[in-house]
Each structure stands twice: as structure tokens, then as C-alpha cells.
Amino acid sequence: MLSFVSRRLATGVGLIATLAVLTFFFLQFGVSDVAQRIAGQQAGPDAVAVVEERIGVDRPVQVQFADWAGSALTGDLGRSWFSGQEVTEAVMSRMAVTVSLAVGSVVLTALLGITLGALAATRRGWSDRGVQFLAVLGQAIPGFLMAMALVLVFAINLDWFPATGYTRPSESVPGWLLSITLPVVALTIGSIGGVAQQVRGSMIDAFERDYVRTLRSRGLPRRSVVLQHVLRNAAGPALTVLGLQFVILLGGAVIVETLFSIPGLGPLALTSTSQGDIPVVMGIVIVTGVVVVLVNTLVDVVQAWVNPKVRLS
């Protein structure tokens, strides 16, 4: 198991390194006038040159990347060119908000998706057709439209939840739950169908296996066969989909956080990218990449525990 995890982590490190190189060099196309924006539109060439020297954009790109990478390897992601705030502090404080939304959505997706998928596989009929319809509907409606509809119904008309804003758990746990409920639901609706369909397909396939027929022929209750054997067989594909959904939800949180005025990575990423604030953008990319690699590695470990054959792949 240790060698299995080591291989996955090594692959993840290579992925993050590649992502860092590509992101840094692509960002160079958008920083041609960043020094002018920092110095002010009325600043003269001499003032702009001073800013360029201060932030280091007057040097060759490869030298800039080498300096950034050397600092990043020690845990120093630099400071924002515009606010002067440490990138690590700015990103980590917002990452906790974004991850809480993504984790909450994944948990809700898992509970509802597995339940609906199991119902569709075991009962078929209307349950099966209902799950298929919900899956298509959830994937067809854009996330921002779903978020706006939720705000209109549950925040404005019914006044059950706040329309915008975010309450930290340290301030009020009930207030925090109320502030993240609509964003989490908005993120979850489009994900449930994919998980439900995956669980349904895996369970239907498992019902056709010889070992399931043997267990049922021996008189084991259908409930025991489903819970102890069929669902376990469907766990691997479902975990894969959930891991992928987590990555998608991190990206989807950018739009949802903006709509709900939540101080997560979304607004920070949009602002930093529009400004050309390379240290902050790179910090967001690297920290997000690390989170994704860790989540995918955890999913692989759980899959290897559920199905030892995965360790050989």
C-alpha cells in the first residue's frame, strides 16, 4: 500500500510542476502593462521602470520563474503585487471557504446520488425513469441559473436563507450553515445525476454476476446482498465519479461564490487574473493543485482498500 500511495503522490507532484510551468509562462501574455497599473495611469516611464524593477518583471521570464520556484519550494509564495499581502495568507484564508463548499456539496452528492442510484437499480420502473430524468435535468440547467432560482425562491420569496454573504463558523455555526446552504445546493444539483447513474449502472451490472446469483440462491435476504456485496462492488466507480466531481465543484465554486458574495477563491481568482497579479494567481493554482492531488490520492487509497486489484494498476 505504501508503494501504491508513493506512486500516486509522485505522479501528483509531476502534475503540479507541469501546471506551475505552463501557468507561469501563459500568464506572461497578460502582464505587459502591470507595472503601469501598479504605478498609476498618470505615472511616467521612470516611475514605471522603478515598479518593474521592484516586482522583477524587468528580468527574463525564465529567471523570474526560477526565483519564484525556488521560493515556492521553501513555502514562500511571495506577496501580492497590488495589496502587498502574503500570498499564502490570502489564499489559505479563502481556500478554507471554497473547500467547505466543495466538501459539503460532495457529501450531499454522495448521500443523494448513491441513494437514488440504488433505488433505480433495485426497484427499476418509475424510480429508474425518475433518476434518469433528474440526471438529464440537473446536467442541462446551468449552475448560475440554478443558483439564481434558489435565491429567488428560498432567499427572497420565502426568506429562509440569506441571499448573499458568508458567516464564519467561529462567529456562529447556525449562521454559517444558513449562509452555505444555498451555494452547496446549487453546486450539488448538477452533480447528483452523474453519481446516481454511475451507481445504478454498476449495481445493475453486479446483479448479473454469478456470485450474486449464488448468494441469492442460498437464501440470503435481498437487503443483505445489496448492502454487503452489490453496493461494495459499485463503490469503486462511484468514488471515481465523486473525486472528479470534487475537482469540478472547485471550479464551479468560482461562479457560485461570486453570485452569493462569498469570500472564497472565486472572487480572489477573478480579481487577481484581471489585474495580472501573477504571485496570487500562481498561489491559487498551486494550492488548488495540491488539494486536488491529495483528494485524488485519498480516493485511490479508498478504492485500493475496497478493491485490492486497483493496487496493481
Side-chain angles (χ1 to χ4, degrees):
M1 178 64 77
L2 183 59
S3 61
F4 173 80
V5 175
S6 299
R7 291 198 304 271
R8 290 294 189 269
L9 289 177
T11 302
V13 170
L15 176 63
I16 292 173
T18 303
L19 184 63
V21 172
L22 293 177
T23 303
F24 190 91
F25 284 92
F26 279 138
L27 285 173
Q28 300 304 314
F29 294 104
V31 299
S32 58
D33 62 341
V34 65
Q36 182 71 62
R37 292 199 295 270
I38 295 174
Q41 295 302 319
Q42 305 302 321
D46 292 339
V48 172
V50 170
V51 173
E52 289 179 344
E53 182 178 1
R54 176 172 62 83
I55 63 177
V57 296
D58 59 330
R59 299 170 300 164
V61 175
Q62 59 271 24
V63 175
Q64 296 179 46
F65 178 76
D67 287 347
W68 176 87
S71 299
L73 289 174
T74 65
D76 180 11
L77 296 176
R79 290 180 175 273
S80 168
W81 286 347
F82 288 83
S83 68
Q85 183 182 15
E86 289 188 1
V87 173
T88 302
E89 178 185 349
V91 173
M92 294 307 295
S93 63
R94 292 170 176 263
M95 173 60 79
V97 178
T98 299
V99 169
S100 68
L101 295 180
V103 169
S105 182
V106 166
V107 171
L108 190 57
T109 297
L111 292 175
L112 296 177
I114 292 174
T115 301
L116 292 175
L119 286 174
T122 54
R123 297 188 179 182
R124 309 302 291 271
W126 284 104
S127 298
D128 192 4
R129 288 190 286 273
V131 167
Q132 298 293 328
F133 175 76
L134 289 176
V136 173
L137 185 65
Q139 294 172 357
I141 301 177
F144 71 92
L145 286 180
M146 184 59 65
M148 293 173 64
L150 291 172
V151 169
L152 180 63
V153 175
F154 296 101
I156 296 177
N157 292 338
L158 297 178
D159 196 25
W160 289 356
F161 303 97
T164 59
Y166 177 76
T167 301
R168 298 188 179 277
S170 57
E171 300 173 1
S172 170
V173 173
W176 171 69
L177 290 174
L178 288 174
S179 67
I180 69 170
T181 296
L182 292 184
V184 166
V185 171
L187 289 171
T188 300
I189 290 176
S191 307
I192 295 175
V195 175
Q197 286 185 313
Q198 185 64 61
V199 171
R200 170 191 173 276
S202 299
M203 290 185 65
I204 290 175
D205 180 66
F207 277 126
E208 301 298 326
R209 300 291 180 88
D210 291 337
Y211 77 92
V212 174
R213 295 195 187 99
T214 302
L215 290 172
R216 296 183 65 180
S217 67
R218 290 179 178 178
L220 285 179
R222 180 180 175 83
R223 180 185 180 89
S224 299
V225 173
V226 171
L227 295 179
Q228 297 178 16
H229 301 279
V230 176
L231 266 180
R232 181 163 184 168
N233 183 77
L239 283 171
T240 301
V241 174
L242 285 172
L244 179 61
Q245 290 294 342
F246 181 84
V247 177
I248 295 173
L249 289 170
L250 281 179
V254 173
I255 299 175
V256 170
E257 287 172 348
T258 302
L259 288 174
F260 286 95
S261 298
I262 294 177
L265 283 181
L268 180 64
L270 291 175
T271 301
S272 302
T273 303
S274 64
Q275 290 178 333
D277 198 342
I278 287 183
V280 177
V281 176
M282 290 299 297
I284 293 172
V285 168
I286 297 303
V287 173
T288 303
V290 170
V291 171
V292 169
V293 167
L294 291 177
V295 169
N296 286 335
T297 301
L298 178 61
V299 170
D300 289 339
V301 169
V302 175
Q303 282 189 325
W305 175 73
V306 173
N307 181 10
K309 292 181 180 179
V310 174
R311 304 176 199 174
L312 302 178
S313 62

